[in-house]
Amino acid sequence: MKEKIEKIGNSANEEIANASSMQALNEIKVKYLGKKSELSNVLKDMASLSKEERPVVGGIANKVRKEIEEKIQEKEVELSKKELAEKLEKERIDVTLPSTKMKRGSKHPVNRVIEEIEDLFVSMGYTVESGPELETDRFCFELLNLPQGHPARDMQDSFYITDEYLLRTQTSAVQARTMLANEEKTPIRMICPGKTYRREDDATHSHQFTQAEGLVIDKNISLADLKGTLEIFAKKIIGENSKLRFRPSYFPFTEPSYEVDVSCFKCGGKGCNICKQTGWIEVLGSGMVHPNVLRMCGYDPDKYSGFAFGLRLRKNCNV
Ligand code: DAH
């Protein structure tokens, strides 16, 4: 019986060693350790043994069974490693292969220009301010020297929500907000890009457009500072060879006031379809901050002066 058991052990070991797949190993497991295995059958015959022999044979049988179990376990680890390696090899991904193109969104051109302008002015020490699009009459008009009934209010048809609230017609409202918010009345250098709205009633104008306001308040600020600043803006944002043209204009919140044109980026000033054959493109309104505005916003016009400009990043006129 002893020999029988040992023989079973030996042939089990041999089969385990030769097993080449998990499936084969499972079959061996059933064959040698299952209920109907040879080993179980041999152990059933234990009853025929003498009292002295029984524990000896039982011990051998247990030892062989344990050995088979251990060998199977070892083989399991080995085979699963092998199978995993094979699977990885089979499913290897070539990361250098060109991928299917993913459609990605991109920044809106207006936002790209806003970011460029912000970077430029921040590099010159400006802060970037913001204000509400739903604005009050006070900030949008009154503090900018446009009292109720002022004829210049007609220049900007407005979306009034109530008697007091309207969708801001100009980012200039943020000039007043910034000056009033500065309690120490220290110098200001700020820009404010943002959305603006006007009640337009023909197909060639959009109700919503984009402006970027600029405001500088300090001692001894002059028109030369405004010109110099706008020239830097034109060179850096529009093109190194851009030229500016200042045309006298009127805005209630600046005196003197100017419309500023930039030489056409496409034809360089010769005249083309972009600049309507004029060689110039109107880009902004500007001027020296009106003393009334300074006063209403808490700055002494005898001590402080300033310039302001309103860039038209996306105009409401579509033609
Ligand atoms: N707010 C004016 C507009 O919407 C543009 C403008 C002109 C802004 C002169 C200014 C300025 O700050 O000084 O047409």
Side-chain angles (χ1 to χ4, degrees):
M1 198 162 193
K2 235 169 86 185
E3 287 84 56
K4 226 174 174 184
I5 295 172
E6 271 162 6
K7 220 173 122 205
I8 294 173
N10 288 342
S11 68
N13 284 348
E14 206 181 304
E15 282 184 44
I16 294 168
N18 290 334
S20 60
S21 71
M22 263 322 201
Q23 204 194 338
L25 192 65
N26 276 335
E27 279 162 18
I28 295 169
K29 203 171 175 178
V30 174
K31 182 172 166 193
Y32 288 96
L33 301 175
K35 267 190 192 147
K36 289 179 193 155
S37 66
E38 271 184 77
L39 198 60
S40 304
N41 285 340
V42 172
L43 290 178
K44 271 181 205 149
D45 296 337
M46 289 263 282
S48 61
L49 295 176
S50 67
K51 248 188 183 178
E52 293 75 35
E53 271 179 321
R54 239 180 265 161
V56 180
V57 174
I60 295 172
N62 276 339
K63 196 175 139 238
V64 168
R65 193 182 168 83
K66 227 170 137 206
E67 235 175 67
I68 297 175
E69 275 170 0
E70 277 169 15
K71 287 260 155 58
I72 287 182
Q73 232 169 39
E74 274 169 31
K75 192 71 181 180
E76 252 168 18
V77 174
E78 184 196 315
L79 283 178
S80 68
K81 269 192 196 156
K82 195 177 128 216
E83 281 182 9
L84 180 67
E86 276 168 11
K87 200 169 168 220
L88 287 177
E89 184 56 38
K90 219 166 71 197
E91 294 172 7
R92 179 190 290 274
I93 295 168
D94 183 353
V95 289
T96 64
L97 278 178
S99 64
T100 42
K101 247 207 165 121
M102 291 237 283
K103 276 196 184 146
R104 287 202 305 174
S106 58
K107 272 186 195 157
H108 191 283
V110 172
N111 289 336
R112 289 209 320 243
V113 175
I114 288 177
E115 281 177 17
E116 267 180 50
I117 291 174
E118 284 180 356
D119 283 350
L120 172 66
F121 281 96
V122 165
S123 79
M124 297 196 287
Y126 285 58
T127 59
V128 178
E129 305 292 340
S130 64
E133 288 171 31
L134 185 61
E135 189 49 282
T136 59
D137 188 274
R138 178 169 174 249
F139 285 108
C140 202
F141 294 130
E142 273 181 43
L143 288 172
L144 295 173
N145 207 25
L146 273 121
Q148 290 279 350
H150 193 290
R153 286 196 181 204
D154 280 354
M155 288 160 77
Q156 300 180 3
D157 290 327
S158 318
F159 285 116
Y160 271 92
I161 307 299
T162 65
D163 282 350
E164 195 193 347
Y165 284 95
L166 71 155
L167 292 177
R168 69 177 175 199
T169 56
Q170 47 185 358
T171 45
S172 306
V174 184
Q175 287 189 27
R177 285 191 172 273
T178 311
M179 282 190 263
L180 273 183
N182 184 337
E183 285 170 9
E184 287 86 33
K185 301 301 159 199
T186 48
I188 291 174
R189 262 190 250 178
M190 73 86 172
I191 52 157
C192 168
K195 292 194 182 110
T196 41
Y197 303 83
R198 287 188 200 169
R199 190 162 56 83
E200 305 289 357
D201 57 9
D202 71 280
T204 64
H205 285 75
S206 165
H207 67 289
Q208 191 266 306
F209 51 106
T210 310
Q211 293 189 334
E213 199 72 16
L215 174 72
V216 170
I217 305 281
D218 208 336
K219 290 177 179 142
N220 302 319
I221 293 292
S222 74
L223 204 52
D225 298 307
L226 171 65
K227 272 191 86 174
T229 305
L230 293 179
E231 263 159 21
I232 291 174
F233 156 77
K235 284 196 177 4
K236 297 282 180 197
I237 303 289
I238 298 168
E240 201 50 45
N241 299 320
S242 319
K243 285 188 214 68
L244 291 180
R245 179 170 81 171
F246 285 71
R247 282 184 288 115
S249 183
Y250 171 76
F251 297 103
F253 32 91
T254 44
E255 180 58 35
S257 304
Y258 301 92
E259 282 287 345
V260 180
D261 304 331
V262 66
S263 51
C264 179
F265 63 90
K266 192 174 175 211
C267 63
K270 286 189 212 90
C272 68
N273 55 343
I274 295 269
C275 58
K276 295 185 198 137
Q277 313 304 332
T278 63
W280 296 96
I281 299 171
E282 185 191 306
V283 281
L284 59 95
S286 66
M288 300 305 292
V289 180
H290 198 291
N292 285 351
V293 174
L294 286 172
R295 211 172 289 119
M296 280 188 280
C297 295
Y299 279 82
D300 180 353
D302 291 330
K303 283 194 199 141
Y304 281 100
S305 55
F307 66 74
F309 56 87
L311 284 162
R312 286 142 200 173
L313 296 188
R314 189 161 61 98
K315 296 209 263 184
N316 61 338
C317 176
N318 297 325
V319 286

